[in-house]
Amino acid sequence: MTSTAAREPATEIDRPGIAYLVAAANALVPADKGLLAIDESIPTCNKRFAALGIAETEDNRRSYRELIVTTPGLADSISGVILCDETIRENTSGGHAFATVLANRDIVPGIKVDRGTHPLAGHPGEKVTEGLDGLRERLVRYAESGARFAKWRAVFTIGPATPSRACIEANAHALARYAALCQETGLVPVVEPEVLMTGDHTAARCGEVTETVLREVFSQLHMNGVVVEAMLLKINMVLPGLDCPIQESVEDVAEATISCLRRTVPAATAGIVFLSGGQSGDLATARLDAINSAELPILPWPVGFSYGRAIQQPALSIWDGQDANAAAAQRALRQRAENNQDARRGKYTSSTVLTPT
Ligand code: 13P
C-alpha cells in the first residue's frame, strides 16, 4: 500500500475550499467574542413568550429578533448570530433581510438546520434529531440567503439506563452526516451534542456521559471525513442535574469540564462553545470565566460561548412585547453579551450572589 492510499480523508486540510472554511471557523471564535443563539423554533419561542404573557404572534417574534440584531454595539462582543428558518426568510421593518442586517454589522449570520428532536423508536424517553432528508439542497439555499455557518443539535437525557448506545450512535451519525454536508456546501458546521441538565444525576455521571457521547461524535466525524479544523463543537458543561442535591462550585465545574474536553476533543478543532442549557445567566458566565481563567493546563482550543437564554433572558423580560421597552431591552442584551466577553477573557466579576440552579 502506498503512503497516499493510507491517508485518511479527515486529516486532509488541503481539499478545495477547505482553507476558506478553516478561516471562517476561526473567525467565529476570535479572542474575546462569542455566538448568540436566537434560533428557537416557533413553538419554543412561543413558550418563552407565553411564560411572560407576550402574544405568540409571528409579528412579535420578528420584532423581538429585530430588536436583538439591531442592538447598538452588539458586534463588539458577538461574532455570529444563529437564526432559525422563520427569521432568515424575513425582513426587518426597514425592509432588509436579517442575514444582510447582521453581515452589514460585521456579525456572521448562521442558521439552525436540524428539524428538531423526535422520539427514538424502541427507546422510550429518548430522542433522535431529524432533518437529513433534503439537507444538501436546503444548505445551498441557506448559503444563498447569506448564512455562513450552521447548527444541528442532538439531545441526550441522563436516566438509570439512558442514554442508550442506540441513541448515542444514531445522533452522532446524524451530526457527522450534517457536518460533512455543511463542509461540502461551504458552511462551517457547529456540532451540538447536548447532555441535558434535567434529572437528579451527579456531575460525575454527567462527565461520564458527556465523555462517552463526545468519543462517539468525534469517531463519526472522522469516519465521515469532517475536517475538525473547520468546525466548532457546541457542548454542555459538566454539571450536576437540576434536581441533584449536591451542586458543585464554579471552580469544580470548570475543572470537570476541562478534563472531559481535554480527553475527548481533538486539539485541532477550531473552537469549543458552550450552550447555557437552563443555567442562570450569571452561573453560565461565571463558569465560563472559571474555565478561561484556569491557569493550567493551557487549553488547545478557543473556549467561548454560544448562549441563548443566558444572554437573552433579561432582555426578553424587559421588552415584554412593548416597542417602548426596546431600547432598555437592547441595553440589557448588550450587557449580558459583554459579561460573557469578560468571561472569555477570564475577567468577569459577578454583581450578584451565585446560587447554583
Ligand atoms: P441555550 O443557551 O438557551 O441553551 O441555547 C443555546 C442553543 O442554541 C441550544 O441549541
Side-chain angles (χ1 to χ4, degrees):
M1 189 187 288
T2 66
S3 59
T4 308
R7 281 182 81 186
E8 287 285 347
T11 61
E12 289 183 20
I13 59 168
D14 53 355
R15 290 208 309 245
I18 211 71
Y20 156 81
L21 270 182
V22 172
N26 291 332
L28 288 172
V29 279
D32 62 359
K33 297 189 190 181
L35 304 179
L36 169 59
I38 58 166
D39 60 336
E40 297 85 3
S41 64
I42 294 173
T44 301
C45 187
N46 283 345
K47 200 168 76 182
R48 306 253 159 93
F49 281 8
L52 294 166
I54 301 169
E56 302 159 46
T57 63
E58 179 177 352
D59 199 44
N60 269 344
R61 290 191 298 275
R62 198 202 51 72
S63 298
Y64 174 58
R65 267 103 185 220
E66 176 167 344
L67 172 165
I68 292 175
V69 303
T70 58
T71 293
L74 193 64
D76 294 343
S77 50
I78 296 295
S79 51
V81 167
I82 312 173
L83 304 171
C84 66
D85 181 72
E86 180 179 58
T87 311
I88 204 167
R89 296 160 179 274
E90 291 174 325
N91 289 342
T92 60
S93 51
H96 302 291
F98 274 77
T100 308
V101 171
L102 286 168
N104 287 345
R105 288 167 180 259
D106 286 331
I107 297 176
V108 185
I111 179 74
K112 189 247 304 284
V113 302
D114 66 67
R115 291 206 150 138
T117 60
H118 297 261
L120 179 64
H123 294 79
E126 296 204 278
K127 299 280 174 65
V128 63
T129 302
E130 294 186 356
L132 287 172
D133 288 352
L135 181 59
R136 178 178 270 125
E137 293 74 22
R138 286 197 295 124
L139 291 178
V140 170
R141 287 201 295 277
Y142 286 135
E144 286 168 358
S145 303
R148 294 293 171 261
F149 70 103
K151 183 191 103 171
W152 178 292
R153 171 174 175 260
V155 296
F156 304 93
T157 305
I158 298 183
T162 63
S164 63
R165 267 322 291 176
C167 178
I168 293 172
E169 289 185 21
N171 278 300
H173 179 73
L175 278 165
R177 286 187 56 202
Y178 137 82
L181 281 166
C182 284
Q183 291 190 340
E184 178 188 277
T185 312
L187 293 170
V188 175
V190 175
V191 172
E192 182 180 10
E194 175 178 359
V195 178
L196 297 170
M197 289 174 71
T198 36
D200 61 1
H201 54 269
T202 61
R205 174 106 167 97
C206 175
E208 282 165 18
V209 170
T210 305
E211 197 172 319
T212 304
V213 166
L214 284 174
R215 285 193 198 292
E216 186 62 30
V217 166
F218 279 99
S219 163
Q220 289 283 344
L221 288 167
H222 178 70
M223 203 186 318
N224 283 275
V226 175
V227 178
V228 293
E229 287 88 339
M231 61 157 267
L232 301 186
L233 173 71
K234 176 162 174 168
I235 187 71
N236 53 281
M237 294 177 189
V238 173
L239 300 172
L242 287 170
D243 300 326
C244 178
I246 302 164
Q247 294 286 319
E248 272 73 7
S249 68
V250 166
E251 291 71 25
D252 286 349
V253 165
E255 193 181 318
T257 303
I258 291 171
S259 301
C260 175
L261 296 175
R262 288 182 74 242
R263 286 192 199 123
T264 51
V265 183
T269 307
I272 297 177
V273 289
F274 292 111
L275 55 99
S276 55
Q279 304 173 71
S280 71
D282 248 347
L283 266 178
T285 307
R287 287 163 170 164
L288 177 64
D289 181 80
I291 289 167
N292 276 307
S293 28
E295 285 183 8
L296 283 173
I298 292 170
L299 305 178
W301 352 254
V303 179
F305 58 92
S306 175
Y307 290 156
R309 284 162 286 181
I311 293 179
Q312 290 183 51
Q313 203 56 52
L316 179 60
S317 306
I318 292 168
W319 174 60
D320 201 25
Q322 310 295 323
D323 284 350
N325 300 334
Q330 288 181 324
R331 283 193 293 277
L333 186 87
R334 187 170 174 184
Q335 179 63 58
R336 287 299 304 138
E338 288 177 353
N339 289 155
N340 288 296
Q341 178 173 44
D342 288 343
R344 277 221 62 191
R345 298 171 173 147
K347 303 264 181 259
Y348 173 65
T349 319
S350 174
S351 54
T352 57
V353 178
L354 295 176
T355 42
T357 45

